[in-house]
């Protein structure tokens, strides 16, 4: 079965208020929603991995020309868009990945209003995909 990366981007839009300014009950409802979805996907065997990420103020970027790494500040805190987290799911097809992504997008925000966060969906390439490319050459 194919694997898909579900990319959770934080983008202001549906909800402008940062989570650290939400009422405690709203944060709890949001986290409970994610917890229930996580358990459902674990029980179905579809969840491979899931992680939330630190805020952009902690991000670093690394470049190298083969020598020692050059480490600089990453995504800048003043950026309004940043990668908030991700899930890897192993599902029967792309349509199922879309259905799960829609549920992630609908996570509740303040007052229970769905966040409508954009969720990127990308298939994870496997070794067989690269082997197929090599055989086409």
């Amino acid at each position: 079965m194919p694997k898909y990366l579900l990319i959770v981007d934080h983008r202001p839009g549906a909800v402008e208020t940062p989570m650290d300014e939400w009422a405690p009950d709203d944060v709890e409802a949001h986290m409970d929603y994610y917890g229930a979805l996580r358990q459902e996907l674990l029980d179905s065997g579809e969840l491979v991995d899931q992680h939330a990420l630190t805020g952009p103020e902690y991000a670093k970027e690394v470049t190298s020309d083969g020598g020692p790494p050059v480490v600089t500040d990453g995504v800048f805190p003043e950026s309004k868009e940043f990668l908030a987290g991700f899930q890897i799911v192993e599902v029967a097809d792309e349509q199922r990945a879309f259905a799960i992504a829609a549920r992630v997008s609908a996570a509740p925000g303040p007052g229970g209003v769905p966040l409508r966060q954009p969720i990127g969906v990308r298939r994870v390439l496997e070794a067989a995909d690269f082997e197929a490319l090599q055989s086409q050459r």
Side-chain angles (χ1 to χ4, degrees), residues 11 13-16 22 30 33 102-118:
R11 295 185 199 166
V15 173
E16 296 285 335
W22 293 5
H30 181 81
Y33 179 93
R103 299 225 7 235
V104 174
S105 177
V113 174
L115 290 176
R116 297 184 64 219
Q117 285 181 297

Side-chain angles (χ1 to χ4, degrees), residues 25 34 44-45 64 72 76 79 82 89 91 93 97 100 105 117-120 123 127-128 130 137:
D25 288 348
Y34 267 112
S44 70
S64 176
T72 58
F76 297 102
S79 174
F82 60 88
V89 294
V91 293
D93 56 35
I100 295 169
S105 177
Q117 285 181 297
I119 308 300
R123 193 168 72 78
F130 294 106
R137 291 184 174 180

